[in-house]
Amino acid sequence: ENLKVTGPYTHKNIAIYLLHGKNAMETDKFLTLEEAMDAKKATVHETENVNQLAITNSSNSNIFIMSGDIVKGGKQDRVIQYNYIVPPGIKRMPVQSFCVESGRWERRGNESAGSFNSSREMIASRELKMSVKKEKSQSQVWSKVAEMQDNLEKNLGTPVKGKSESSLQLTLEHGKVKAARQDYAGALENVLKDKIDVIGYSCVINGSINSAEVFASSALFKKLWPKLLKSSIVEAVALSGSGAAHVPKPAAEVKQFIVDSEKAGAVAAHEVEVNQRTKIVEREADDSLYYETRDAADDGRWINKSYLAK
């Protein structure tokens, strides 16, 4: 309830709201999965089990993995199911995953079949996120990946599938998708400039509240911001031809969505201990889903709060 909401910052059918607040913990020493993999400080291993990968952290820092992070390579591209805190020095820690490329089970080009080479994209679409986080269903994940590809092709007026047609990752890398995304990003990517207290954001697409993410520190949020924004923009592009109204919500209504989502379902909260460091608290209300990630090594303090409108 101490959050301050500013915005909207709008472009076409999307509105971005910034969430301002105090740092709740020191998370500036966390690496994101993207930067850890790019720096060769983390290896995500193929296990030949579609729904489980393994990660080795060879750095001296904790790594924060977000639910929805896509890892590219292996025998097929995957999306990570849960948020994870990966401790320094840990080897082959199990990580739950879903396939986002149903048509391949072999090496692709010059990529390694035994490990993954990058994590620069996240899944996009509220329905796809719910398939991963709520339904936890592989068949629904495949269905929602295909639906997103179809929506992008319809609204962009061109095929957007790569050589592996079922790969969401290759669709997100497609030139037409990247061009459409850059059109939005040019208007929105600098909204954090000169703002030091932003710890999260919310987005409204086609006039409807979509989701929100809040972090325990501005440093961690700012590292994840480009990836999160790309995901929201792709969803906006996929929904741009719906004909729905593009009128943004008042900032006060966005804040009320966050407050109500966090309070709802508190009595029936479900806790998932995904590893020794990480606990996820899941709550469901009639119109929203709420996920809170806690760090067992820091007295169970929260590190991320995620909100999805139903």
Side-chain angles (χ1 to χ4, degrees), residues 133-269:
K133 296 167 77 97
K134 178 179 183 291
E135 304 300 336
K136 301 176 174 66
S137 165
Q138 179 62 77
S139 62
Q140 285 197 25
V141 171
W142 282 330
S143 174
K144 295 306 178 182
V145 166
E147 183 179 296
M148 164 144 281
Q149 290 176 317
D150 290 343
N151 286 339
L152 288 169
E153 289 189 343
K154 180 173 66 175
N155 290 322
L156 294 176
T158 184
V160 296
K161 296 174 182 175
K163 291 183 178 180
S164 177
E165 292 192 354
S166 63
S167 170
L168 177 60
Q169 171 73 33
L170 296 189
T171 291
L172 297 174
E173 292 178 2
H174 193 281
K176 293 294 185 181
V177 174
K178 291 173 72 173
R181 192 164 65 186
Q182 187 54 44
D183 173 56
Y184 282 73
L188 298 170
E189 61 188 356
N190 292 322
V191 297
L192 296 187
K193 187 177 181 181
D194 299 326
K195 298 178 178 67
I196 61 174
D197 64 341
V198 181
I199 58 172
Y201 85 114
S202 179
C203 73
V204 169
I205 298 176
N206 291 350
S208 297
I209 295 176
N210 179 283
S211 58
E213 296 286 347
V214 181
F215 295 85
S217 86
S218 58
L220 182 58
F221 168 62
K222 287 179 179 178
K223 288 203 280 189
L224 288 162
W225 166 243
K227 202 174 188 180
L228 291 164
L229 180 62
K230 285 194 296 183
S231 172
S232 293
I233 288 173
V234 169
E235 183 169 12
V237 173
L239 296 175
S240 60
S242 69
H246 299 168
V247 180
K249 297 287 187 184
E253 189 171 336
V254 172
K255 180 174 179 178
Q256 197 62 49
F257 160 73
I258 293 170
V259 172
D260 290 347
S261 299
E262 190 163 336
K263 287 183 175 180
V267 175

Side-chain angles (χ1 to χ4, degrees), residues 46-47 49-54 69 71 76-82 84 94-100 116 132 138 141:
E46 175 66 81
T47 66
N49 177 343
V50 171
N51 297 126
Q52 187 177 91
L53 303 175
D69 277 341
V71 288
Q76 57 185 195
D77 301 330
R78 310 289 220 291
V79 58
I80 307 300
Q81 180 178 348
Y82 294 109
Y84 286 91
V95 175
Q96 297 299 111
S97 64
F98 291 106
C99 164
V100 282
F116 297 79
V132 169
Q138 179 62 77
V141 171

